[in-house]
């Protein structure tokens, strides 16, 4: 479908169209210039922007080829546009509202509001890296928790013994994406005891201070329970 409303140049709807068009074309700097994330993108060097491309690529892949914009409301210096967009990766499209604000005669998409918008202005070009660091750390903990569950399932099926990481992956209990450091920003490893009835799993950031600061350790205790710990250890493993 095409737009169901008239798309006037320099209107809120046209700004939304331009943003998603540039995002889909992977012109990230030009796309985010149309939003209140501009302070976080305008100071980035080309090399720094390239480092963030992996994170932005997931967004660009969600943008449909034919963007359907079906509503526009303008109230003074504020506006809202409705468009038919995917509600997350792999999810079907649905009508979503996009808020905008006019500054210096130009419409700007509001990706964040309130304290979050203030944080962007304060952190500037460090914002995306700080956000990515937190995201990678949270995901690293989630992955370790999945590994712990996978070990429990494997142990129940194999007379109380645990498995190394390649075996968990080949068994379909852990996604092979765990080995893709570009996606996770972390390195994961599993070490088994001599009889494979105990194990510990570790996770350390690929680049300390860039992809994470926390190191993680999941360690089995007496072949029964597993404890998970995290600590800023300068990028080193919590298990020597």
């Amino acid at each position: 479908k095409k737009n169901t409303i008239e798309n006037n140049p320099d209107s809120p709807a046209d700004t939304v169209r331009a943003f998603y068009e540039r995002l889909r074309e992977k012109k990230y700097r030009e796309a985010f210039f149309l939003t209140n994330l501009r302070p976080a993108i305008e100071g980035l060097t080309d090399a720094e922007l390239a480092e963030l491309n992996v994170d932005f690529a997931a967004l660009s892949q969600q943008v449909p080829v034919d963007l359907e914009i079906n509503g526009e409301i303008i109230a003074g210096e504020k506006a809202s546009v409705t468009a038919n967009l995917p509600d997350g990766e792999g999810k079907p499209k649905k009508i979503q509202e996009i808020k905008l604000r006019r500054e210096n005669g130009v419409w700007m998409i509001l990706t964040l509001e309130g304290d979050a918008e203030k944080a962007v202005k304060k952190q500037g070009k460090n914002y995306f890296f700080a956000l990515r660091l937190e995201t990678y750390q949270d995901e690293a903990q989630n992955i370790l928790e999945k590994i712990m569950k996978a070990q429990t399932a494997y142990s129940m099926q194999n007379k109380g013994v645990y498995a190394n990481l390649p075996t968990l992956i080949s068994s379909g209990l852990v996604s092979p994406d765990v080995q893709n450091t570009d996606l996770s920003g972390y390195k994961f490893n599993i070490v088994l005891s001599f009889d494979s009835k105990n194990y510990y799993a570790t996770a350390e950031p690929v680049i300390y201070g860039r992809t994470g600061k926390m190191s993680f350790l999941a360690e089995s205790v007496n072949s029964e329970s597993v404890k998970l710990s995290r600590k800023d250890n300068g990028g080193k493993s919590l298990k020597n």
Side-chain angles (χ1 to χ4, degrees), residues 167-192:
T167 301
L168 290 179
I169 293 172
S170 63
S171 300
L173 295 171
V174 171
S175 169
D177 287 345
V178 72
Q179 295 180 311
N180 188 336
T181 56
D182 288 336
L183 285 177
S184 67
Y186 268 76
K187 299 172 291 185
F188 296 88
N189 187 41
I190 295 175
V191 176
L192 300 174

Side-chain angles (χ1 to χ4, degrees), residues 3-239:
N3 293 349
T4 57
I5 64 168
E6 186 176 351
N7 192 9
N8 297 315
D10 301 321
S11 66
D14 189 53
T15 301
V16 170
R17 176 204 59 77
F19 168 71
Y20 282 106
E21 184 177 274
R22 293 171 188 179
L23 190 61
R24 187 173 184 277
E25 293 172 351
K26 299 182 180 179
K27 297 178 180 178
Y28 303 124
R29 193 184 299 276
E30 293 89 338
F32 288 118
F33 259 46
L34 300 174
T35 76
N36 60 343
L37 283 169
R38 181 169 181 166
I41 201 83
E42 60 185 352
L44 292 174
T45 65
D46 290 341
E48 289 170 331
L49 185 60
E51 190 177 336
L52 293 165
N53 279 355
V54 173
D55 306 299
F56 295 150
L59 294 175
S60 65
Q61 292 170 3
Q62 296 178 38
V63 181
V65 177
D66 294 319
L67 178 65
E68 180 190 349
I69 298 176
N70 46 35
E72 177 187 71
I73 299 174
I74 302 175
E77 300 299 295
K78 296 183 179 181
S80 65
V81 172
T82 51
N84 202 10
L85 292 164
D87 188 26
E89 188 175 0
K91 294 184 179 180
K93 293 189 292 185
K94 73 174 187 178
I95 300 298
Q96 297 187 47
E97 180 185 21
I98 301 154
K99 295 181 180 180
L100 299 94
R101 181 174 68 228
R102 184 157 46 194
E103 290 188 1
N104 301 319
V106 178
W107 288 105
M108 176 178 65
I109 296 172
L110 302 179
T111 57
L112 301 167
E113 296 183 84
D115 291 340
E117 184 175 13
K118 292 177 182 177
V120 171
K121 292 179 179 179
K122 181 179 180 180
Q123 295 181 28
K125 75 171 195 174
N126 294 321
Y127 174 79
F128 281 121
F129 289 107
L131 181 64
R132 184 177 69 164
L133 186 147
E134 292 179 8
T135 301
Y136 279 164
Q137 288 182 164
D138 290 343
E139 183 60 19
Q141 181 164 328
N142 288 336
I143 290 173
L144 269 188
E145 290 172 350
K146 290 178 181 178
I147 288 175
M148 291 160 61
K149 291 178 181 178
Q151 288 285 38
T152 298
Y154 187 90
S155 176
M156 292 175 65
Q157 299 168 9
N158 292 273
K159 299 179 180 180
V161 301
Y162 294 110
N164 57 25
L165 190 54
T167 301
L168 290 179
I169 293 172
S170 63
S171 300
L173 295 171
V174 171
S175 169
D177 287 345
V178 72
Q179 295 180 311
N180 188 336
T181 56
D182 288 336
L183 285 177
S184 67
Y186 268 76
K187 299 172 291 185
F188 296 88
N189 187 41
I190 295 175
V191 176
L192 300 174
S193 63
F194 72 96
D195 58 1
S196 296
K197 291 191 175 181
N198 279 291
Y199 76 93
Y200 67 84
T202 59
E204 299 85 43
V206 175
I207 304 174
Y208 176 74
R210 216 46 160 176
T211 63
K213 288 187 175 180
M214 293 293 175
S215 294
F216 298 86
L217 172 66
E219 189 170 18
S220 64
V221 181
N222 299 325
S223 304
E224 296 178 356
S225 61
V226 181
K227 61 178 182 179
L228 176 62
S229 55
R230 52 183 283 167
K231 179 183 177 182
D232 184 343
N233 200 32
K236 299 178 181 178
S237 174
L238 294 183
K239 192 74 173 181

